[in-house]
Amino acid sequence: MSQFLPVTKKDMEDRGWDQVDFVYVTGDAYVDHSSFGTAIISRLLESRGYKVGIIPQPDWRRKESIAVFGEPRLGFLVSAGNMDSMVNHYTVAKKHRQKDSYSPGGKMGLRPDRAVIVYSNLIRQTFKKTPVILGGIEASLRRMAHYDYWENKVKHSILIDSGADLISYGMGEHSIIEIAEALDSGIPVSEITYVAGTVYKCRDLSRTYEPIILPSFDEVQADKQAYARSFAIQYQNTDPFTAGTMAEFYGTKGYVIQNPPALPLTQEEMDDVYDLPYAGNYHPMYEKDGGIPALEEIKFSLTSNRGCFGSCSFCALTFHQGRILQTRSHESILKEAVHMTEEKDFKGYIHDVGGPTADFRQPSCQKQLTRGVCKNRHCLFPEPCKNLTADHKNYVSLLRKLRDLPKVKKVFVRSGVRFDYVLADPDKTFLNELAKYHVSGQLRVAPEHVSNQVLKYMGKPSHEVYEKFLKEFDKANKKAGLQQFAVPYFMSSHPGCTMKEAVKLAEYVRDLGFTPEQVQDFYPTPSTLSTCMYYTGIHPLTGEEVYVPKSAHEKAIQRALMQYKNPVNRELVLEGLKIAGRMDLVGYGEKCLIRPVRKGHGDSKYTENAGRNRESKHGPAPKKTIRNHHTRKKQK
């Protein structure tokens, strides 16, 4: 128990404390591991001499549940946890999930919907004046007016609805220390308006210098063009070197002000963060419930980087971690790996070495370290920038060192590689060693779609790039004398995906020779480029109108097309083919997705004989061996 920070008043008193400086209220169970934001921020504050108590998953129906430690000396820190509470609770179809991996034994229902707002309001009912600072991904991505998929409307900045004083957005290490020092020196929380990486409320603009005035809340709520315009401005101000201060007007409630992002961590700072004295496990109080499922996969994984310059439209990393790569040193990672090998349940396998994108180990170009990222250009899309530094030498060296550690049998790379970045590197050493040492039969990659029209809106490379990668991966496997397969992730119903594009993806899945067990339907989560397109029907960076599959029925059809072999999906598939004008895919040819309905069974227009007639008229599809990893696996 002494390895963990206090979770009860008795724990606090056993340490000889009369009062804690900060109470950290979180929607997750308490896991003291560096993959959990609660652990990082609380241990970082502890390292600076602050006393921190943790209240994990308080009962939001009881006010006394957040008064475990009494009133903290400096303030409350509030987070929904590692996941957005709405995404944690609901599928994209808005159905309740059955399991919460961040709760004891995977039990669902231990946190409320919109946890940050609920916890903050609960605190305010008991502690009227105590500073409340929000953090974590739920607050970070709702820091300004935002479209809410679950209520299908534009909602206030979470700062307005929660009654909190500040948001520490992004990863938060720099800003939380500066906030703590300001509070500790006696500065009222209302006066803490200068910290990078924070959002605050004020009555007027007197505390800001030359702010960028965003469309007001009333404007973005009433006008989708205004919403898209506001989002574009925010998207272009996510870089700590170039971003301006932004102000959003809320009428009688005043303004919500967003300061520019905090600077990225240096490698030395990253090393310090990951060298803090984490227990590396969940709190012992969860042992009786079977532990915390989320820890199982990451317990023997290593974080090597943070941030991502991939800029996928459906990803919130641009708004949360930023596009500038931050890395840990080899020494820091190896130190953690050695400690990991000494754990009694370590079996010799390091499950992953990576981050948002495994093979990013440096900023995309050196200019970013002094000038920031480009406002109107991407590093990899639509093609790699001429200034891109595509080099895997550092990552290859790190993986070799980890492979050579005593007790390590295998080092996996599971957090995903950016295949266009791999191709941009003329040196094939990484790809060869990836295939030989770091894949166990299957390499998971994320082409997301096969239609270049959809990929354009996704911010992903063209399908031809993915096909080229498959060929190179095949060569690497042959060189290693192995037979391994690339397993692609695909997404349905993304903005820009018409029914014709969905059918095109289904045809590709057919030619692969496998049926995906799960299909990822596009999920419009707050503060992504794709969500803005979903809500407005406008690409905010170009002003272009975008087709959006919105109805639950159309989304169900697009999902069903990817799993056309499942008999349950037949009617949805047939409807999709009719809409797309692709009834040539109903028949007995090997290229057909579904068979015609027999006479007397359903739609008489598509009878068994009609299907045979169509096949004889056009001739059967020519037989050929489709050369791809999935087909070979099936044949084997």
Side-chain angles (χ1 to χ4, degrees):
M1 297 286 284
S2 61
Q3 285 186 296
F4 294 83
L5 294 172
V7 295
T8 66
K9 189 171 184 179
K10 183 179 184 303
D11 289 346
M12 178 182 77
E13 291 169 346
D14 286 347
R15 291 189 173 217
W17 299 351
D18 297 323
Q19 185 183 31
V20 293
D21 296 318
F22 290 100
V23 172
Y24 199 127
V25 181
T26 174
D28 285 345
Y30 178 27
V31 181
D32 196 34
H33 187 282
S34 58
S35 291
F36 291 74
T38 299
I40 287 180
I41 297 301
S42 58
R43 287 298 186 183
L44 185 61
L45 287 167
E46 179 193 43
S47 73
R48 299 300 194 273
Y50 297 103
K51 300 169 183 175
V52 184
I54 311 291
I55 303 182
Q57 300 185 317
D59 183 349
W60 68 94
R61 294 164 289 252
R62 298 170 50 249
K63 287 195 294 185
E64 55 269 28
S65 67
I66 49 84
V68 171
F69 300 100
E71 184 176 19
R73 184 173 71 90
L74 298 178
F76 281 92
L77 309 177
V78 179
S79 168
N82 268 22
M83 276 185 75
D84 184 290
S85 62
M86 299 302 286
V87 177
N88 180 282
H89 283 172
Y90 300 98
T91 68
V92 64
K94 300 182 183 178
K95 296 180 180 178
H96 280 279
R97 298 190 194 274
Q98 301 303 308
K99 181 180 178 181
D100 180 351
S101 293
Y102 293 90
S103 291
K107 185 178 179 181
M108 184 57 78
L110 298 183
R111 78 182 87 210
D113 286 357
R114 308 187 190 284
V116 168
I117 292 174
V118 174
Y119 293 153
S120 297
N121 288 334
L122 195 64
I123 291 166
R124 276 284 172 257
Q125 291 174 32
T126 306
F127 304 100
K128 306 294 184 185
K129 301 296 182 181
T130 312
V132 176
I133 298 98
L134 311 181
I137 195 161
E138 180 163 305
S140 187
L141 300 184
R142 290 171 169 80
R143 57 189 186 254
M144 306 300 271
H146 56 279
Y147 170 71
D148 185 90
Y149 170 68
W150 301 275
E151 290 187 16
N152 191 31
K153 69 178 186 180
V154 176
K155 293 179 71 72
H156 296 140
S157 160
I158 200 169
L159 206 52
I160 299 290
D161 291 337
S162 66
D165 298 288
L166 281 173
I167 300 173
S168 168
Y169 71 85
M171 298 305 286
E173 289 98 343
H174 280 155
S175 56
I176 199 63
I177 294 301
E178 203 168 347
I179 292 167
E181 289 173 348
L183 291 170
D184 198 22
S185 67
I187 299 175
V189 70
S190 60
E191 301 286 319
I192 305 175
T193 60
Y194 53 85
V195 177
T198 62
V199 180
Y200 63 93
K201 297 174 289 190
C202 62
R203 303 303 305 175
D204 55 44
L205 298 176
S206 60
R207 291 184 172 274
T208 63
Y209 177 71
E210 296 185 350
I212 299 168
I213 307 298
L214 298 172
S216 70
F217 175 75
D218 287 344
E219 287 179 273
V220 299
Q221 189 181 45
D223 181 3
K224 291 182 178 180
Q225 290 274 2
Y227 185 93
R229 191 165 65 251
S230 178
F231 184 88
I233 295 169
Q234 294 175 55
Y235 190 85
Q236 292 165 345
N237 283 274
T238 55
D239 181 82
F241 293 96
T242 62
T245 299
M246 292 180 288
E248 191 171 64
F249 185 53
Y250 282 84
T252 57
K253 294 181 176 69
Y255 287 87
V256 169
I257 310 294
Q258 177 181 311
N259 288 323
L263 289 170
L265 298 184
T266 65
Q267 188 167 90
E268 184 178 6
E269 288 172 331
M270 278 276 281
D271 287 354
D272 287 344
V273 164
Y274 284 88
D275 197 36
L276 293 168
Y278 305 103
N281 211 335
Y282 51 76
H283 194 280
M285 64 182 169
Y286 304 124
E287 201 67 56
K288 65 182 186 303
D289 301 304
I292 310 301
L295 182 64
E296 293 171 9
E297 179 61 25
I298 56 90
K299 185 175 182 180
F300 297 119
S301 295
L302 297 163
T303 299
S304 74
N305 64 54
R306 181 186 288 183
C308 183
F309 51 80
S311 302
C312 298
S313 301
F314 47 80
C315 180
L317 276 169
T318 296
F319 268 67
H320 190 58
Q321 291 191 8
R323 289 168 57 192
I324 297 178
L325 247 290
Q326 301 147 73
T327 60
R328 295 169 64 188
S329 69
H330 288 197
E331 291 73 22
S332 171
I333 297 169
L334 288 166
K335 180 181 177 181
E336 183 180 351
V338 169
H339 178 72
M340 185 185 292
T341 64
E342 294 167 355
E343 294 282 339
K344 61 181 180 181
D345 50 346
F346 180 72
K347 306 297 184 185
Y349 301 99
I350 295 176
H351 295 166
D352 188 30
V353 185
T357 302
D359 55 327
F360 288 176
R361 281 287 299 171
Q362 68 222 346
S364 62
C365 71
Q366 294 305 306
K367 293 179 181 179
Q368 291 183 359
L369 298 175
T370 54
R371 302 182 196 173
V373 298
C374 299
K375 282 196 172 189
N376 298 305
R377 294 172 63 187
H378 295 294
C379 304
L380 286 166
F381 176 80
E383 294 177 345
C385 174
K386 60 182 176 60
N387 295 318
L388 176 73
T389 304
D391 188 342
H392 289 83
K393 292 185 182 67
N394 185 284
Y395 192 41
V396 168
S397 173
L398 172 62
L399 293 172
R400 287 173 176 174
K401 291 173 184 176
L402 290 167
R403 291 202 306 266
D404 289 341
L405 289 177
K407 302 182 183 179
V408 171
K409 299 175 184 176
K410 183 95 172 179
V411 179
F412 294 104
V413 174
R414 288 180 175 168
S415 53
V417 297
R418 182 82 185 208
F419 56 82
D420 50 347
Y421 186 72
V422 173
L423 292 179
D425 186 351
D427 185 348
K428 301 305 176 191
T429 302
F430 168 67
L431 185 56
N432 290 332
E433 295 201 7
L434 176 71
K436 187 173 182 178
Y437 299 111
H438 305 291
V439 177
S440 182
Q442 297 180 340
L443 174 69
R444 299 185 183 276
V445 285
E448 305 295 356
H449 215 279
V450 300
S451 162
N452 287 340
Q453 172 182 306
V454 181
L455 291 168
K456 177 184 76 172
Y457 294 120
M458 289 179 164
K460 298 288 286 186
S462 70
H463 181 59
E464 291 72 24
V465 176
Y466 176 62
E467 289 292 318
K468 183 179 179 182
F469 172 78
L470 290 182
K471 291 176 182 176
E472 294 296 327
F473 183 62
D474 202 21
K475 289 179 187 176
N477 279 301
K478 287 178 179 176
K479 185 174 181 178
L482 297 169
Q483 189 177 37
Q484 300 182 120
F485 316 100
V487 178
Y489 287 116
F490 291 123
M491 184 185 295
S492 63
S493 304
H494 188 275
C497 188
T498 67
M499 200 61 73
K500 287 185 177 180
E501 310 305 319
V503 172
K504 186 174 183 177
L505 180 56
E507 289 185 282
Y508 186 78
V509 169
R510 171 202 65 200
D511 293 343
L512 284 179
F514 87 113
T515 302
E517 292 181 6
Q518 291 184 321
V519 175
Q520 177 59 55
D521 198 356
F522 167 64
Y523 205 151
T525 55
S527 295
T528 73
L529 199 61
S530 297
T531 298
C532 183
M533 286 188 265
Y534 174 88
Y535 170 60
T536 65
I538 300 166
H539 193 302
L541 304 184
T542 65
E544 176 187 0
E545 288 189 12
V546 183
Y547 174 78
V548 179
K550 272 197 172 181
S551 75
H553 186 63
E554 182 176 1
K555 289 163 78 71
I557 292 172
Q558 290 208 18
R559 277 198 309 273
L561 279 163
M562 289 175 64
Q563 295 177 312
Y564 64 90
K565 289 183 179 179
N566 188 336
V568 174
N569 291 332
R570 190 188 184 284
E571 291 306 312
L572 288 172
V573 173
L574 180 60
E575 186 177 350
L577 295 176
K578 288 179 183 178
I579 293 170
R582 293 299 309 275
M583 294 304 293
D584 57 301
L585 296 176
V586 181
Y588 291 93
E590 63 181 42
K591 291 291 185 181
C592 292
L593 299 185
I594 56 175
R595 299 288 181 257
V597 177
R598 294 177 182 273
K599 280 185 177 180
H601 294 80
D603 192 341
S604 61
K605 286 195 296 181
Y606 305 105
T607 64
E608 185 176 5
N609 288 335
R612 285 175 178 159
N613 289 339
R614 276 195 300 277
E615 183 179 348
S616 61
K617 178 181 177 181
H618 299 289
K623 294 184 178 180
K624 62 179 181 179
T625 301
I626 298 169
R627 295 187 59 78
N628 64 66
H629 307 298
H630 303 288
T631 306
R632 285 200 295 275
K633 183 178 181 183
K634 188 176 180 183
Q635 290 169 345
K636 180 183 175 185

